[in-house]
Amino acid sequence: MAENNNHFDIIIIGSGPAGFTAAIYAVRGGATVALFGGVAPGGQLLYAAEIENFPGFPEPVAGAELMLRMLDQAKRLGVQVFQEDALKAGLKTAPFTILAGENKKYTAGAVIIATGARARWLGLPSERKYTGKGVSGCATCDGFFFRGKEVCVIGGGDTAAEDALFLAKFASKVYLVHRRDKLRACTRLQEKLGSNPKIEIIYDHVPQEILGGPALSGAEGEKATGIILKNVKTGAARQLDTPGVFIAIGHTPETAIFGDQLKLDDAGYIVADERRQTSIRGVYAAGDVMDPHYKQAVVAAGSGCVAAMEALKYLEEIKK
Ligand code: NAP
């Protein structure tokens, strides 16, 4: 398959397990492949401290390590990895166009979107005010700052459970605040939560407001000092004096640059069939951006594999 400087058989957008697996399969299938992976390739797994459910790693592996290995593997096989964001996509007619970096134009016969999903926020004004000042969406990134302090985690899914367990390594106490009376997290994580003496689960409560005040120890500005919760059954308010507030309430698919061109479902995920074909022929979606259910590295990787195999097949078909 032919290449000029800015044209590739397949362009992949996204550098999580879906993007890299798609790239590895596409390049091994004989295609010229560019992958736009952002400044720090690796996607959400960069923030996962330990992964113990990715096959092939008998000992837990850090997310960053796993992604570095995928990056190295893709590069070794000949994938051109651009550490730039894709800024615009023209998907209406083939060849498809991607603007990236400083508005440089790239074209491709097929595109695989593997942009993932970003963490969701509560939407409280006080949450925004104290983000980066005690309020965080990333326990792995910020947990260290709360050594010996009390923190709370909002959410009841696997991410919230994992965050609580991770934070318990540093914090003196971790409150896990969930809006229902039953966690969504898997049984194994629930068992771990139950056997950790530092973790207390508060059911049936939702955040009302993040509290803040002047930063201690000479630091500038204000910092979060706690949170006010409301009991959804009784309406009663409860205050937690936790300078660390970790939000872990799920994700929103990253579709900003494609959303108006592709069919999305009600939650904003790209609609793709079992062959990862989107509403535009030649454009495929793989991983969390089209998967509202599983959000697993290994599922995303499999999804990227399918997308690449189908994209290769499509390129062969249109050549005929
Ligand atoms: P999730 O499963 O969608 O859970 C989000 C949690 O936040 C739910 O408990 C939800 O409550 C709660 N929530 C949502 N909006 C809220 C709001 N506005 N206020 C308060 N609470 C709110 O998201 P996730 O935990 O990020 O997990 C996403 C996917 O990734 C899942 O499939 C999960 O299995 C997977 N995952 C797997 C692992 C692992 O295997 N190691 C690790 C992390 C994530 P409700 O329960 O009431 O809906």
Side-chain angles (χ1 to χ4, degrees):
M1 296 182 189
E3 181 186 11
N4 70 34
N5 277 348
N6 297 333
H7 181 80
F8 296 86
D9 296 322
I10 300 177
I11 285 182
I12 294 160
I13 306 170
S15 56
F20 279 127
T21 307
I24 289 162
Y25 271 77
V27 81
R28 291 190 80 253
T32 57
V33 180
L35 181 146
F36 290 90
V39 185
Q44 286 184 85
L45 281 193
L46 286 182
Y47 307 109
E50 280 191 350
I51 297 167
E52 62 176 1
N53 55 9
F54 199 87
F57 293 84
E59 297 302 321
V61 59
E65 158 86 17
L66 182 61
M67 296 323 297
L68 190 61
R69 286 177 181 232
M70 290 190 200
L71 171 67
D72 287 347
Q73 187 177 1
K75 279 184 173 170
R76 181 182 67 78
L77 289 165
V79 175
Q80 200 161 328
V81 178
F82 292 89
Q83 289 189 229
E84 296 171 352
D85 287 326
L87 305 170
K88 271 189 185 166
L91 305 177
K92 295 243 159 83
T93 51
F96 305 115
T97 58
I98 302 294
L99 285 189
E102 291 178 4
N103 275 329
K104 194 165 171 187
K105 183 173 158 186
Y106 300 86
T107 58
V111 169
I112 298 173
I113 299 167
T115 40
R118 71 174 176 282
R120 218 179 270 150
W121 296 91
L122 297 166
L124 301 171
S126 51
E127 171 192 54
R128 183 179 272 256
K129 180 173 176 187
Y130 294 111
T131 297
K133 298 169 185 163
V135 175
S136 168
C138 179
T140 317
C141 319
D142 299 327
F144 183 78
F145 302 120
F146 297 93
R147 188 177 287 278
K149 296 181 180 160
E150 297 202 351
V151 301
C152 67
V153 178
I154 313 299
D158 285 344
T159 303
E162 285 200 336
D163 285 0
L165 290 162
F166 177 76
L167 288 164
K169 294 181 189 173
F170 306 97
S172 55
K173 166 108 188 171
V174 180
Y175 297 95
L176 178 60
V177 179
H178 183 37
R179 63 184 177 183
R180 287 189 296 130
D181 57 4
K182 194 171 180 296
L183 293 178
R184 184 181 290 277
C186 67
T187 311
R188 181 164 148 74
L189 286 172
Q190 289 198 37
E191 284 166 2
K192 283 190 178 182
L193 290 172
S195 62
N196 191 315
K198 280 191 184 173
I199 298 175
E200 178 181 334
I201 305 176
I202 301 179
Y203 292 103
D204 295 319
H205 279 73
V206 289
Q208 290 283 89
E209 196 175 355
I210 315 285
L211 304 170
L216 298 174
S217 58
E220 281 178 24
E222 292 206 346
K223 286 212 171 248
T225 54
I227 186 166
I228 296 189
L229 307 172
K230 186 175 100 178
N231 184 319
V232 292
K233 289 188 173 156
T234 66
R238 175 171 177 184
Q239 180 171 330
L240 301 178
D241 296 320
T242 51
V245 177
F246 289 84
I247 313 295
I249 59 168
H251 296 85
T252 304
E254 292 275 16
T255 57
I257 66 168
F258 325 101
D260 56 340
Q261 300 172 70
L262 294 169
K263 191 170 173 203
L264 307 180
D265 71 10
D266 291 344
Y269 288 86
I270 296 177
V271 174
D273 65 16
E274 73 279 6
R275 294 175 304 130
R276 305 299 181 265
Q277 169 74 63
T278 67
S279 52
I280 297 175
R281 198 161 174 251
V283 178
Y284 299 82
D288 289 4
V289 75
M290 49 74 61
D291 172 13
H293 302 296
Y294 299 106
K295 300 235 168 0
Q296 300 299 303
V298 73
V299 175
S303 178
C305 162
V306 174
M309 290 176 77
E310 292 296 334
L312 289 165
K313 217 187 292 173
Y314 162 77
L315 291 174
E316 284 305 319
E317 275 167 21
I318 59 168
K319 259 200 335 202
K320 285 178 195 163

